[in-house]
Amino acid sequence: MTRTVIEEILPPGVRSAEAFDDLAPAPLFPEEAALMAGRRPRRQRQFATARACARRSLAELGLAPAPLLPGPGGAPLWPAGVVGSITHCDGYRAAVVARSAEVTALGIDAEPALPLPRGVLALVASGPEREALERLSRERPGPSWDRLLFSAKEAVYKAWFPSAGRWLGFADAEVRLGPAGTFTARLHPADPPPRAYTRFAGRWLIRGELLVTAAVGVRTPEAR
């Protein structure tokens, strides 16, 4: 079986599927099709392909195809006992799932491997994070470190939301990128829910024009 790109940065127990275009037929369940009614054709194709990836991933867990409707915050409502995440950017769609008994918080993100648009970094990074990015750029030029930071925060948010049920601002997550494909995140939101994760570990990968990140929750005493 061909290994997916995203699989290279996933922990054991996580199943994945990906697509690099929307050309393959990707039928929707009636409930899903109703959600997409009236949307732009490009968005409909994107949604359908991502849902097809999710169903292929779920099939690897032995689960039959079923509608995957968005819940609060827009993330899919996964079957009971399953955690998962979906991502899409130009030229790439991916979905990952795992049994919640094995992986209890999971998020992924995909981005073009390009610098962030002018002005965006100041909105998503703290002063210490920007200083760290400058050091990384000097020590290992090449990767779009600002985009990696953004993507890592997106993956962390996707992993955080199911257990917290609340929005998380960019300033609520302090991310440290490692030069060898890893990162850590520490969250400091106001009044976090008792069982919400506040520590995450992750990995990143750049493959050609594609940048992907994956984050999993790290259980701490205060989150038990």
Side-chain angles (χ1 to χ4, degrees), residues 56-197:
R56 293 205 307 270
S57 299
L58 289 167
E60 293 192 24
L61 294 181
L63 298 175
L68 292 171
L69 302 177
L77 292 173
W78 300 101
V82 171
V83 295
S85 184
I86 287 176
T87 189
H88 51 77
C89 67
D90 286 347
Y92 187 73
R93 324 276 184 248
V96 297
V97 297
R99 297 285 184 185
S100 56
E102 298 181 47
V103 179
T104 51
L106 175 65
I108 61 169
D109 186 64
E111 301 282 338
L114 298 170
L116 289 174
R118 185 183 300 273
V120 174
L121 182 62
L123 301 176
V124 304
S126 66
E129 286 175 329
R130 292 195 295 272
E131 291 174 4
L133 293 182
E134 291 175 1
R135 288 195 299 272
L136 285 167
S137 296
R138 291 193 301 268
E139 295 168 3
R140 188 184 168 187
S144 297
W145 292 107
D146 57 348
R147 183 77 70 163
L148 274 167
L149 179 73
F150 175 86
S151 183
K153 290 198 174 189
E154 287 288 305
V156 166
Y157 171 76
K158 292 180 182 180
W160 144 275
F161 189 87
S163 64
R166 283 172 35 189
W167 295 104
L168 184 73
F170 284 109
D172 294 326
E174 195 76 17
V175 169
R176 294 184 179 182
L177 295 171
T182 63
F183 67 88
T184 60
R186 180 175 180 175
L187 309 188
H188 43 81
D191 300 321
R195 295 189 62 81
Y197 285 86

